[in-house]
Amino acid sequence: TGLLVAVIALLAGPADVRDTYGAAILALPLLVVLLQPPVVNRLLGFVLRLLGRPPLEHPLSATGVARASAWALLAWLLAGLHTWLLATALGAETTLATAALATGAYALAWTVGFLVVVVPAGVGVREAVLGLVLADQLSGGAVVVAVLASRVLMTMADVTLGVAAAKRRR
């Protein structure tokens, strides 16, 4: 869902971004197909076999994938909101196109960071991707501040929510 949000949001962003990343629209059909339960179930089964793990007890359902995708979409929108607030506070235009760009940039950065498994939590990778996408909207110093502030804020949110969940579990 992160890549799907990234492609759609970046294409809805400022015109210069659409011109640069316009070919990404070709990925949309593939991303939609990858979210289909029969495809996801086969891919998960293959990966689990490859890792020598037992198969899924129950295959993913269309309802389950739709529900998880809806929650993920909400998470991407909230993450994009935090990125947009940071970017606009640092000089980016306060427009819907910038909001779309911020959402797509964060979704792309997080997804790429997640896929690069050699570094914990995508450290460095996520910041590099986010910085590259925001570079045309902010000055060099503002990009660094936005990227680092985003990492600090998201880390604080993760710790706070983790502690709250641990306390609630007792």
Side-chain angles (χ1 to χ4, degrees):
T1 59
L3 290 175
L4 186 61
V5 167
V7 169
I8 293 170
L10 291 175
L11 293 174
D16 58 328
V17 175
R18 281 192 304 276
D19 294 343
T20 303
Y21 298 104
I25 199 162
L26 299 174
L28 284 176
L30 174 63
L31 295 173
V32 170
V33 167
L34 288 174
L35 286 174
Q36 302 303 311
V39 176
V40 173
N41 286 324
R42 284 190 190 105
L43 286 173
L44 286 173
F46 173 75
V47 170
L48 290 171
R49 277 192 308 280
L50 200 66
L51 297 173
R53 309 287 258 166
L56 294 173
E57 288 183 30
H58 305 284
L60 300 176
S61 67
T63 303
V65 170
R67 188 176 295 131
S69 296
W71 280 110
L73 177 60
L74 176 62
W76 293 127
L77 293 174
L78 291 173
L81 175 63
H82 110 273
T83 307
W84 180 71
L85 290 171
L86 284 171
T88 56
L90 294 166
E93 292 181 22
T94 308
T95 64
L96 286 176
T98 306
L101 176 71
T103 302
Y106 189 86
L108 179 64
W110 191 95
T111 304
V112 172
F114 175 78
L115 293 174
V116 178
V117 296
V118 295
V119 292
V123 172
V125 175
R126 190 165 86 185
E127 288 75 19
V129 172
L130 185 58
L132 284 171
V133 178
L134 294 178
D136 288 340
Q137 308 302 312
L138 297 169
S139 68
V143 168
V144 172
V145 171
V147 166
L148 293 178
S150 174
R151 175 59 85 163
V152 168
L153 288 170
M154 295 309 277
T155 300
M156 289 172 46
D158 285 347
V159 170
T160 302
L161 291 171
V163 168
K167 283 184 178 181
R168 185 174 180 169
R169 186 163 178 135
R170 287 192 239 185

